[in-house]
Amino acid sequence: MSADKSVADVDAMKPVFTTDGLHPRDSFQRWHDVLDAQEANLDLQRVDDEPFMARVESSTVGALNILRMSQSALRTEFRKFGAWRHGREGMVTAAFKLSGTSSSLQDGREAVLSPGDLYILDKRPGVLTTSAGSQAISMDIPREYLERVLGPTQLYTALPARAELASTSLARAFFRELIRVGPGLSPASADRMASIGVDLIVASIAEQMAKEVPRPLHGTVVVQRAKAFVEANLADPTLDPPKLAAAVGVSLRRLQELFQERGQHISDWIWQRRLEAAAKRLADPGYVHLPIGTLAYGCGFASQAHFSRRFKACFGTAPTEYRHAALVSAQ
């Protein structure tokens, strides 16, 4: 399947806005008014004389509100990333380019975007210029999660994960299917699938950073890639510092040095992320049917006893008690 059809050919999205049926002389102003009503604080400029069109469709899967936007050639300046989605100040926008071409500018970095590319824009001033027939899907994802794994967003805004990357191709295919099957998922399954999708986006950006980031930042990128690999492989009980070093292509000694420069130890980081993932699942009603041992194994622990011992040392309470308290407070 070609990149420009990877998500655009599904029909599970619901219309939100369209200029279809409007007189050509009114369509651009109507689009401008819609964005103004959302307090988006944008400066829109036409870049050709063709009849203007815009269309927005949406699909919600778990915590992800996915938008598919089609529009004519347009220069959009974000003076301040506003409330296109109210209450999303702690989020950044991730988008897959589906058709047409675009250029993005943010944090002093400019990129030309082609069909299939994945890119990130944060809620800071920036410019996005689209060609005629441009289409993309976008979603807001938590800034805190991206920065925990990849570092400050200034490192990768307007740094597209190219369509030909294996990780980007996988992420694109995943979202194609997620949009298609999303309406049939249970709430718990939708939340889990949305979380997997965010992890795939992170992995794609991490891979592109490793290819293009300036050499002085190489150590930072290696650590970020290592952390992204840990996130994607928490369930692997054999994941340890040597295996992690091999996965990111550096010696174990070098990886240990890079983590220590940041006041961290590799094994401590792996166990901490496993414990945090387990705590999140213990508090998730969607996992309440899983025995503690099964849940622990799914987070990379070899035995329930080992898990219980480490969990209590970290959180001050046994896993069973933690689950009970979390589920009671959520009622």
Side-chain angles (χ1 to χ4, degrees):
M1 181 172 290
S2 62
D4 62 341
K5 292 185 179 180
S6 61
V7 182
D9 60 355
V10 300
D11 57 6
M13 305 192 85
K14 298 179 180 179
V16 174
F17 170 84
T18 181
T19 57
D20 292 351
L22 296 177
H23 193 283
R25 69 168 177 266
D26 300 326
S27 56
F28 175 69
Q29 186 59 51
R30 177 59 178 147
W31 179 233
H32 199 293
D33 292 344
V34 166
L35 295 178
D36 279 347
Q38 298 291 330
E39 303 173 12
N41 199 10
L42 307 175
D43 180 22
L44 306 180
Q45 297 179 12
R46 300 287 309 277
V47 296
D48 64 22
D49 297 325
E50 297 299 315
F52 182 80
M53 65 76 61
R55 182 180 300 109
V56 180
E57 300 155 287
S58 73
S59 178
T60 299
V61 181
L64 291 179
N65 180 31
I66 304 171
L67 297 181
R68 182 165 70 220
M69 183 179 297
S70 310
Q71 64 179 27
S72 298
L74 194 66
R75 181 184 187 275
T76 304
E77 181 176 355
F78 308 96
R79 293 189 295 269
K80 177 182 178 183
F81 240 107
W84 172 242
R85 304 173 183 89
H86 291 281
R88 311 294 274 185
E89 293 80 7
M91 314 295 273
V92 302
T93 299
F96 289 94
K97 187 70 179 172
L98 301 182
S99 62
T101 58
S102 298
S103 65
S104 62
L105 172 64
Q106 191 169 60
D107 297 320
R109 186 166 40 246
E110 185 171 12
V112 175
L113 307 170
S114 301
D117 290 349
L118 165 67
Y119 59 99
I120 300 290
L121 291 176
D122 205 341
K123 291 175 172 56
R124 291 188 295 276
V127 177
L128 183 67
T129 303
T130 59
S131 69
S134 178
Q135 187 178 80
I137 66 163
S138 67
M139 64 219 74
D140 280 351
I141 58 180
R143 181 186 294 105
E144 184 275 335
Y145 180 74
L146 254 68
E147 293 193 332
R148 186 175 69 211
V149 179
L150 299 176
T153 58
Q154 289 89 339
L155 295 174
Y156 43 89
T157 47
L159 177 67
R162 294 301 183 185
E164 60 269 18
L165 288 181
S167 54
T168 305
S169 178
L170 178 61
R172 200 169 56 241
F174 180 86
F175 276 98
R176 177 194 67 217
E177 288 301 302
L178 186 62
I179 292 171
R180 185 179 68 83
V181 305
L185 295 174
S186 69
S189 293
D191 283 338
R192 288 193 288 273
M193 292 301 104
S195 179
I196 291 170
V198 172
D199 286 341
L200 290 172
I201 288 172
V202 170
S204 300
I205 297 298
E207 184 175 354
Q208 190 67 49
M209 289 176 69
K211 287 178 171 292
E212 297 191 12
V213 77
R215 183 65 190 176
L217 294 175
H218 182 262
T220 298
V221 172
V222 169
V223 172
Q224 291 162 355
R225 288 181 62 208
K227 290 182 176 180
F229 187 86
V230 170
E231 295 297 323
N233 293 274
L234 285 176
D236 181 1
T238 68
L239 178 62
D240 59 9
K243 186 171 184 177
L244 181 59
V248 296
V250 298
S251 70
L252 175 58
R253 180 177 178 179
R254 177 56 178 158
L255 190 61
Q256 288 171 331
E257 290 173 348
L258 292 173
F259 269 78
Q260 288 168 0
E261 287 172 3
R262 291 154 180 81
Q264 300 166 339
H265 294 280
I266 304 171
S267 58
D268 290 345
W269 174 266
I270 294 172
W271 287 118
Q272 184 64 29
R273 290 302 305 132
R274 283 174 169 158
L275 288 166
E276 290 171 353
K280 182 177 179 181
R281 294 181 186 184
L282 286 170
D284 185 345
Y287 287 88
V288 71
H289 65 287
L290 287 184
I292 297 292
T294 303
L295 186 147
Y297 184 78
C299 293
F301 292 89
S303 71
Q304 183 172 341
H306 179 220
F307 168 63
S308 296
R309 185 169 61 253
R310 280 190 173 269
F311 191 92
K312 188 169 184 178
C314 180
F315 294 100
T317 184
T320 303
E321 296 167 353
Y322 185 94
R323 169 183 268 177
H324 177 73
L327 296 177
V328 168
S329 65
Q331 292 177 354

